[in-house]
Amino acid sequence: MKFFNHMTFGQYVPAESPVHGLDPRCKILVVLVILTGIFMAKHPAVFAAWGVLLAGLTLAARLPTKLVLGSAKPVLILALFTASIHIFFTKGEPLFSLGIINITSEGLVLALYMGLRLIFLVLFASFLTLTTRPMELADGLERLFSPFARFGFPAHELAMMMTIALRFIPTLLDETDRIMKAQLARGASFDRGGLWKRLKAFIPVLIPLFVIVFQRAEDLAVAMEARNYRGGAGRTRMNPLRWRGADTAALILVPLAVFILVYADRSLA
Amino acid sequence: MSIIVKNLGHVYHPGTPLETRSLCDISFELERGTWLSVAGHTGSGKSTLGQHLNGIIAPMEGTVTVDGMAVKEKGPDLREIRARVGLVFQYPEQQLFAETVYEEIAFAPRNWGTPEEEIDARVKEAARAAGLDESRLTRSPFQLSGGEKRKVAIASVLSSKPDYLVLDEPTAGLDSFSRRELADLLAGLKEGGMGIVLITHDLDIALSRSDAVLVLDGGREAALGTPAEVLARLEENPVPGLRLPDVAALSLLLRQRGRKAPVTWDWRELKNALFRSSK
Ligand SMILES: Nc1ncnc2c1ncn2[C@@H]1O[C@H](COP(=O)(O)OP(=O)(O)OP(=O)(O)O)[C@@H](O)[C@H]1O
Ligand SMILES: [Mg+2]
């Protein structure tokens, strides 16, 4: 029994691929551009084009399709919720009505787009974490933010916090899984009784989890201090980031493609 | 009345890049009132096997049967199976959550629906069996030492009076005295008719105290049988990462140098044999 399939939670999946090989700075910028582009998508043809891009990216990154699609699972509920709000609350020509509820064709279309947009957003964003080591990701962010450090922006600290948080998500899911199993073995049940009873059943999971989290945080702090960690100033890298030709190419081509898509969207609408 | 494991296999994360085979074609039977030890190096699949025995993990290949009930992912028998097979997890002290040790030990029997008037006796009996001082019952489990926490965790499983007890490396991190104590506790429970599965790195305890030993290597059975059979087998085909007990290793060395020495883990037996042969 497995309570969480954290494989799908944007965890880094090692592979030899052109996408994995790109510089994290390039990937972060490119993903930002892509996300902006998706926000602006309105036309069915453009959505289809994004779908094709997604398929292409999956192939290029040599990731299993199932794994990539799986990363949308956590937002599926949110997407459905957003979509249903649009279904019920969009004004227009009623397609049919139930009492005070009007379902309009505009609403349906808007709902579909909104849901698709959200799912595409997550799917594209997940490539960043699926193909980039958390360490590289933080390095990339730190370097991108470092110009602002002059104005007192804590670029290094933020990047370090992010790395640690990202690094510990799978660990915490594993721990939660283990504690839930241990309590199951002592007769706890998480799927019986009413809502209150189910919520209460999580107390024996949450308390040990908090204990472990604080313990880990303390251990980590001690370990970092013991290795003389004292913030970003003067730190060098074991694997310095290297900007290659492919990165420049990606940074020119992808925004160009996004621009064309957005432009096409505008002129089709 | 027994736990029967037949051709059990398990793969973590099948169909993903993280796919790992952790068990392959494992079969054995554990009767009530007997003690089986499962030994093997780190990552050999011991914990995975242990979690199969009470349905925390359902078999994906092969079968596990507890007193005639098959372990499945879901089903009416699952709770009954979990109630009959107590499982003490690796690092069980990390599962503690209650305000007092008493509440911690009472957690399992309450969950299994033991009548409230019986609980008090159950808690005290389990605490005593696990070697916990009664004065500890009113304390917070978080204020205890590591070894005491371990004892609380073991008592919190004993209190539901399982018919079988599976312990995943309960001796890790305990001193040699506590280890002996724990082994004595298990021997006592076994005499009382409980079926014991002890998962351990420690071949010494596995060989000297149990009725049967299963050695895992990379998820496969490397040896299965009585302690004597298993030791003989291990001397012929050493399992990487699994050290023979010092006495057995010494005895083997002596035999390789042409001395007469028995296949044993018991230092008295080796000593007597050596004294006899040197006379
Ligand atoms: N939740 C999991 N996800 C993926 N792989 C796992 C998981 N748990 C265990 N494994 C893998 O399965 C194999 C067997 O693990 P298991 O925990 O059963 O070993 P073990 O013999 O108990 O080791 P140890 O002595 O360190 O406790 C290992 O290769 C391990 O990496
Ligand atoms: Mg283990």
Side-chain angles (χ1 to χ4, degrees), chain B residues 16-32:
Chain B
T16 73
L18 295 190
E19 183 171 304
T20 339
R21 174 161 280 284
S22 51
L23 283 179
C24 185
D25 198 21
I26 300 295
S27 303
F28 62 85
E29 177 169 3
L30 173 86
E31 307 245 4
R32 287 193 192 179

Side-chain angles (χ1 to χ4, degrees), chain A residues 124-168:
Chain A
F124 275 103
S126 72
F127 269 98
L128 195 57
T129 47
L130 281 171
T131 65
T132 320
R133 286 196 181 79
M135 215 54 194
E136 287 179 333
L137 202 58
D139 269 6
L141 275 178
E142 186 179 343
R143 290 292 292 277
L144 286 175
F145 279 130
S146 58
F148 305 106
R150 216 170 313 158
F151 313 113
F153 185 81
H156 172 80
E157 286 71 15
L158 272 183
M160 185 53 104
M161 269 161 61
M162 245 200 58
T163 325
I164 294 175
L166 281 175
R167 156 69 186 75
F168 275 96

Side-chain angles (χ1 to χ4, degrees), chain B residues 24 32 36 38 52 55 59 63 73 97 121 134 143-144 154 167 185-187 193 209 216 221 230 233 248 251 261 273:
Chain B
C24 185
R32 287 193 192 179
L36 170 78
V38 179
H52 274 90
T63 57
E73 176 85 43
F97 72 96
E134 205 159 304
Q143 292 169 349
L144 303 179
I154 292 172
L167 303 101
L185 163 68
L186 296 184
R209 307 297 292 256
L216 293 181
E221 173 192 312
V230 166
R233 181 81 198 277
S251 173

Side-chain angles (χ1 to χ4, degrees), chain A residues 2, chain B residues 12-13 20 22 41-48 90 169 201:
Chain A
K2 193 82 184 144
Chain B
Y12 280 107
H13 308 302
T20 339
S22 51
H41 55 81
T42 293
S44 57
K46 304 182 297 291
S47 298
T48 311
Q90 201 163 3
E169 297 199 24
H201 273 118

Side-chain angles (χ1 to χ4, degrees), chain A residues 95-108:
Chain A
L95 219 50
F96 58 87
S97 35
L98 277 168
I100 53 162
I101 300 171
N102 285 319
I103 308 266
T104 66
S105 54
E106 286 93 335
L108 280 180

